[in-house]
Amino acid sequence: MTRTDVDTPTPSPAPRERRRFGSSGLGLGFVIKLVLVALVDALGVYGLLAAYAVGHWGIITTLAIGLVVVNWVYFSRKAIPAKYLVPGLAFLLVYQLFVMLYTGYVSFTNYGDGHNSTKSDAISAILLQNDRRVEGSPTLPMAVVQKGDELGFAVIEEDGQVWVGTADQPLEAAPDAVVQDGRITEVPGWDVLSYAQVIERQADVLELRVPVSDDPNQGAVRTQNGTSAFASRSIYTYDADADTMTNTDTGAVYRPNDQGVFVSDDGAQLTPGWRVAVGFDNYVAMVTGSDLSAYFFQVLAWTFAFAILSVGTTFALGLFLAVVFNDERIKGRRAYRSLLILPYAFPGFLAALVWRGMLNQKFGFINEALLGGANIPWLSDPWLAKLSVIGVNLWLGFPYMFLVATGALQGLPGDVMESARMDGASPARIFRSITLPLVLVATAPLLIASFAFNFNNFALIYMLTGGGPNFPDATVPIGATDILITMVYATAFEGGARDYGLASAMAIVIFIFVGVISWAGFRRTRSLEEI
Amino acid sequence: MRRIPRGLAVAAGVGLLLTACSGGTSEEPSASDTTTTDESSSPALEGTLTIWADETRVDDVKTIAEAYTEQSGVQVDVIQKASTDIGNDFITSVPTGEGPDIIVSAHDGLGGWVTNGVVGTVDLGDKAGEFSDAAVKAMTYDGQVYGVPYAIENIALIRNNAIIQDTPDTWDAMVTAAQATGAKYPIVIQQDPTNGDPYHLYPLQTSFGAPVFATENGSYTNELAMGGPEGTAFAEFLAAQGAAGILDTNISADVAKEAFLNGEAAYIITGPWYVSDFTAANMDISVLPIPSAGGQPAQPFVGVQGFFPSINTENPLLVNDFLVNFIATPEVQTQFYELQGRVPAMTAAAEGLSDPILLGFNEAGASGAPMPAIPEMSAVWEWWGAAEADIISGKAPADERWATMITNIQSAIGG
Amino acid sequence: MASDVATVRGQQTTLEHKPPRSRWWREVGWRHVIGVVAIAYCLLPLLYILSASLNPGGSLTGSNQLFKTIDFTNYSDLGSTDFSTWAVNSLIVASVTAVGTVLMCASAAYAFSRFRFTGRRATLTGLLLVQMFPQTLAFVAIFLLLLSIGDVFPVLGLNSRLALIAVYLGAALGTNAFLMYGFFNTIPRELDEAAKIDGATHAQIFVTIILRLVAPILAVVGLLSFIATYGEFVIARVVLQTPENFTLAVGLYNWAADERNAPWGLFAAGAVIASVPIIVLFQFLQRYIVGGLTSGSVKG
């Protein structure tokens, strides 16, 4: 992005003439630039400090590189195109590219239901979930005590005797403790914490387990409110050195495996597991795993059909209406245009919901009011459902194309049209030979964008048909109107366990797929325009 | 030799060996005495709690939370989440520390939360006995209690008294009598053209003896139980009712409600959530148990609503205080009932019920089956509903379609 | 107003040439017929929503008698919800995003259209490809990204409208830069050349010449971006977490997501009001969109 060719205005040392434009050396523009870059720098430096404070090295690196690039670009006399590209590209890199890369990373992990967090989270969840009140254990009044930094519990036994202990020190009698009105007020050698102090250290207090005795089977004293205690016992114990979970009832030992879960020698697993990298497992599962592959090509074919037909129909109708209303003699042109834009003014998912109701076979407005009580299964017949999806998308999408085409028509060179008309060319011929090619040049990239949008048009399918009607024999919840992205959603999120790893892998595959195809299409459109 | 604390040790022995005599436990002081004194003398708490609730509960939870703030000085932020997202957002957010301290929800997501290790535990202690058995059981997963219940909800048969006054014993008798009145629909049960609605059909299914999962010691196993001749019989019943036009997949929730509101339907099977609309329209209705279609008792799913703590909270003490010392009190439970119109989970509060509509729902739910909370359940819904829709609309032969569904679910849950 | 001028001009033509009725039909009249049909197609579902919004117990199926009741309860009930907050949020988010998108895309399109530099084709192709990425499946990544950013810049973290705007701006170049680029290419380069000879810098050419000539496409892109942002809810509901920060789309989605007691009447009323800003904006921008270039210097 550094080399500029002859097109760019090379700053000439001695401009010959300055009729309309003054020097830009230190003018208003420069001041604005200076202020803006200074602002960015200030924010960047603040960010660097803040990121350093929380130890976010990824953000520090990104920010540092970003700041260098911004300052270089805007204070260099070269790199003129970069001055125009940097703001947009910065947002793009952070919010799009990073998201893509991160999705790529997730696709190589088993992130999903049952593997939701880190290993240490999983260990504490397993210990907590299996930490049960020892059956029949009484609730005893207690106080939280402290010696130096170490927390401990002081418990009043039923006989009035006070016992004190810490995580490492099982309960011991403290005969000199003072109890007033059922509350422990003083324990020699310990500071009794006030309630406010307990709240300050509440996480530690609730995590603390004070063994009842040296025998671990008798459980440990814990509290849930800082004022009363009971004995509880976790069925599992974690040995940090050996990295194993042991079931204290059966003695079974569970070891972590490479799938991010503790598993015993006989194959029993403990939930939850944790996130680990699983290599290409998700990609392999896509091909071999379920019966997904059996329906993949069917869904793929429909996805293409849907995307192409959506672009085709909306563009055709939009351009047609734009041409029709591109005549100054039409009275009320403005009103027509305003009304035609209305479907676009409604949030798309809402429109899909409304259409869903209107297309109800028996009670829908279309069948009952418009077609006089017809019984057409608009959404439950596989082919009609496809037709309905295209029809609703046409309604949703043509105003967009109408707008774009209207704008494009304004940009057509009037003189060319005029001379063609003078030469006696018919309107149809003018349209075919001049209007359409020129409009296509302006909108071709847009049509590809629209293709991409519809290829991934999740909201419409999800809200209108939910992918249904389902293939009755399919062993995966996939239906006749499912496109790739709703299929991924259904299999990765709705078929029971949510599997972000698998979903990400599928997203990457879809991306590569549609990317290659669009890229090929894009190269072909080069015949229509010069890049 | 070290002495060990007597009460704790004896109690531990009871729990561990299950053979010790009960001498140790009998002399324990009543724990609630000490708890009460502690409560009254404990200084004001401070801090902030964040609670997630979905759109159906958020306003009532806010009202309750304000009362708690007044009483304890703890600031409570109640945040509304969409009911479709709340459970999954909880799973995603809790490990990042962005999750709430407490989530208010029906119990059916509990299995997923436990499997993902995002929900914390609650020790109800002696208070467990103050709740109805079903409610505590619903808050329990794999032997551990994870929440404090506040209400129970289930569907029932609702009768438009202006059309008919029968209290039917069987489905067929009900349909015959209702048809005789000349009402446009004898009964409406909401469905969806592609996704059916297994929840609203479940009482009919159980009346054929085909529960969704087998049970063991009162809790669900992941063994599918709706196959076999009982399941097929139910499928055949659906096909017959569909062919006769009694069940219709085009009757969406909206249509069903409108039809009943307009006096076009003699009966509707629905839950308390629509009843306020019916009573607001000054309809004369009665709430009755759902009649049996297959000879056995019709058991609707019973959903238990509760407050569940997050495993990852900065204020575990406050959370516990809120759950155990506030939500689990008869006053708050009664207040919830007054706000929400659902049967309270606490026996003391439920005993005070006098509203015939709630009593009706309570009676209809007495025989109900708790909604399965095991994670496998989420895999079941979609197959189940689609199959029922196909059978009702006559798109596929009942027995075959039902068998396909069973195969599909089994492969989906790997069971 | 441009179209008023157009109408006047049209009338003058009629007066001068007095075309016969048949010719009027052939050249103009049929366009009205098509217009009426197209508008019927457009409006039918909208009338349905309007009707539902005027029915206090309104639903989205089953109420097929349009305008059976006319009752503004739903509209007055909106006052007791967070609706107005959401509307303000939506307007802020959509406006800022639209302005940012227009500025960034216009600059980028200018660079692509007027300069030849290394990596230009690759960047263009890259932009095209980036938009193919299925964002719907990437919400986990967006969530975690904002979580990290929020540690450093809290205003750009989760549950921030500014963060949502930033995410939208990240996607801005993908689609709209191309649309602009196409239009920039239709502006003759001779204009730049002439200005360059007059001593203009690249910035002056961009601001004083090009931007004025491409005003219609700026308006179109601004409008498209505004509308797309305004109705977006998949990303917005991941980013925005508390009702006071919701946009209209997220708020309405939450109403519709209620499986049992979805307030359809309220929802419909909200949707009707929500569409007003778009309609107003379109009215305001229409003159730029359809009238902008006709009297511009390109023609001369």
Side-chain angles (χ1 to χ4, degrees), chain B residues 22-29:
Chain B
S22 58
T25 36
S26 63
E27 43 185 275
E28 290 160 13

Side-chain angles (χ1 to χ4, degrees), chain A residues 1 7-8 19 24 84 96 102 324 329 334 336 338 342 350 357 363 395 410 452 456 518-519 531, chain C residues 27 31-32 41 61 64 115 118 121 125 132 135 144 170 189 196 198 201-202 267 271 279 283 286 290:
Chain A
M1 237 182 272
D7 261 2
T8 44
R19 284 199 300 267
S24 67
Y84 291 93
Q96 288 272 87
Y102 194 87
V324 166
R329 289 166 297 178
R334 197 186 159 110
Y336 277 125
S338 307
L342 280 179
L350 155 74
F363 305 94
W395 185 85
Q410 307 306 313
N456 292 326
S518 307
W519 182 66
I531 274 204
Chain C
E27 293 191 355
R31 296 171 197 263
H32 287 284
Y41 174 58
T61 17
N64 285 336
F115 301 104
T118 323
R121 286 255 329 261
T125 317
M132 309 290 169
Q135 287 272 8
L144 295 174
R189 276 162 176 267
K196 219 181 289 171
D198 286 349
T201 64
H202 57 87
F267 178 72
I279 295 166
Q283 294 306 325
Q286 177 158 296
V290 299

Side-chain angles (χ1 to χ4, degrees), chain A residues 369-441:
Chain A
L370 286 187
L371 302 175
N375 197 22
I376 303 170
W378 289 112
L379 295 177
S380 42
D381 176 84
W383 288 103
L384 281 174
K386 287 178 168 148
L387 186 72
S388 304
V389 168
I390 300 272
V392 171
N393 204 28
L394 175 62
W395 185 85
L396 280 170
F398 88 86
Y400 173 79
M401 293 296 187
F402 174 67
L403 257 189
V404 169
T406 300
L409 288 178
Q410 307 306 313
L412 297 184
D415 43 352
V416 180
M417 310 287 277
E418 201 56 42
S419 59
R421 217 169 288 142
M422 294 288 195
D423 291 347
S426 71
R429 181 156 169 81
I430 293 180
F431 177 79
R432 212 176 53 238
S433 310
I434 300 175
T435 315
L436 189 59
L438 284 173
V439 168
L440 276 179
V441 168

Side-chain angles (χ1 to χ4, degrees), chain A residues 99-378:
Chain A
V99 165
M100 285 164 60
L101 292 177
Y102 194 87
T103 305
Y105 160 71
V106 171
S107 76
F108 291 103
T109 71
N110 62 352
Y111 184 23
D113 264 353
H115 302 272
N116 195 35
S117 191
T118 59
K119 185 173 179 182
S120 67
D121 278 356
I123 290 169
S124 50
I126 291 172
L127 293 178
L128 180 71
Q129 285 173 3
N130 293 288
D131 192 5
R132 313 278 159 83
R133 191 183 186 116
V134 172
E135 208 170 313
S137 161
T139 305
L140 300 173
M142 56 86 71
V144 182
V145 294
Q146 194 174 17
K147 185 188 275 174
D149 245 2
E150 192 178 23
L151 283 179
F153 289 157
V155 183
I156 311 178
E157 254 297 334
E158 296 151 345
D159 53 10
Q161 171 77 279
V162 175
W163 296 72
V164 184
T166 67
D168 306 321
Q169 174 69 53
L171 288 181
E172 277 182 338
D176 301 331
V178 182
V179 178
Q180 277 177 357
D181 304 331
R183 297 173 67 84
I184 299 168
T185 51
E186 209 178 301
V187 182
W190 296 87
D191 297 327
V192 178
L193 293 191
S194 71
Y195 201 69
Q197 286 170 309
V198 171
I199 285 186
E200 223 164 82
R201 301 195 60 177
Q202 49 181 303
D204 299 333
V205 170
L206 266 74
E207 263 172 28
L208 184 60
R209 300 285 185 278
V210 177
V212 171
S213 72
D214 288 329
D215 176 7
N217 283 332
Q218 289 189 314
V221 174
R222 62 184 281 210
T223 180
Q224 287 210 311
N225 52 18
T227 53
S228 60
F230 58 90
S232 75
R233 199 173 69 84
S234 182
I235 300 167
Y236 294 97
T237 54
Y238 177 66
D239 180 344
D241 295 329
D243 195 19
T244 53
M245 281 277 178
T246 309
N247 184 324
T248 52
D249 287 351
T250 65
V253 177
Y254 294 77
R255 294 185 176 79
N257 69 0
D258 59 358
Q259 294 294 312
V261 66
F262 281 108
V263 61
S264 71
D265 292 336
D266 60 1
Q269 298 191 337
L270 297 179
T271 58
W274 58 93
R275 250 183 284 176
V276 289
V278 293
F280 281 90
D281 281 10
N282 289 317
Y283 293 89
V284 174
M286 238 185 303
V287 188
T288 58
S290 59
D291 295 347
L292 213 63
S293 37
Y295 294 92
F296 180 78
F297 288 101
Q298 210 170 334
V299 171
L300 184 69
W302 162 241
T303 309
F304 271 104
F306 169 71
I308 292 169
L309 283 172
S310 292
V311 177
T313 52
T314 52
F315 183 66
L317 185 61
L319 179 60
F320 172 70
L321 290 173
V323 169
V324 166
F325 290 108
N326 192 34
D327 188 315
E328 290 178 355
R329 289 166 297 178
I330 300 174
K331 284 182 190 161
R333 210 152 60 114
R334 197 186 159 110
Y336 277 125
R337 281 179 172 150
S338 307
L339 288 172
L340 285 178
I341 211 69
L342 280 179
Y344 203 51
F346 270 73
F349 72 91
L350 155 74
L353 280 176
V354 172
W355 275 102
R356 182 196 180 109
M358 289 180 44
L359 290 168
N360 182 296
Q361 184 175 353
K362 204 162 178 183
F363 305 94
F365 188 78
I366 304 278
N367 274 349
E368 194 174 290
L370 286 187
L371 302 175
N375 197 22
I376 303 170
W378 289 112

